Amino acid sequence: MTDGNSDYDPELGDWRTLVTFFSPTEAFLLRGCLQAGGVPAAVADAHLVQTHTLLAGAIPVRVLVPAGRFAEAEAVVAAFQRGDFSLDDTDPQEEET
């Protein structure tokens, strides 16, 4: 896992596209949430989009998961969209006073 993507495990099935983004940053963020939730994940086409930014609208960045973990990955995406992974932006020092 030198590039941040999870290793391929043939027992989990082939990689399937879970979601696509036009921003590589969003794809990498979701990949991290999936991996933190125990779901292997990979980002594809991010370097192509970053290199050829004019093609970004035609070539979205894909987040891939193994077919055998697709339902679990969809649950993580739903939690991500609900904001379950958002950080609290309040200053803890302000709460103490």
Side-chain angles (χ1 to χ4, degrees), residues 15-97:
W15 292 107
R16 285 184 54 195
T17 300
L18 177 65
V19 292
T20 59
F21 293 102
F22 291 110
S23 165
T25 303
E26 290 179 273
F28 290 128
L29 182 62
L30 180 60
R31 179 189 67 188
C33 289
L34 287 162
Q35 290 172 336
V39 179
V43 171
D45 301 326
H47 298 301
L48 181 64
V49 170
Q50 289 172 327
T51 303
H52 303 286
T53 54
L54 294 175
L55 298 176
I59 304 171
V61 181
R62 297 176 292 145
V63 178
L64 309 170
V65 296
R69 305 288 293 273
F70 201 81
E72 187 179 351
E74 288 179 318
V76 173
V77 170
F80 179 76
Q81 291 174 337
R82 277 193 312 268
D84 292 357
F85 297 105
S86 65
L87 299 175
D88 184 14
D89 62 354
T90 58
D91 186 356
Q93 292 181 357
E94 288 180 9
E95 293 177 2
E96 293 177 6
T97 58

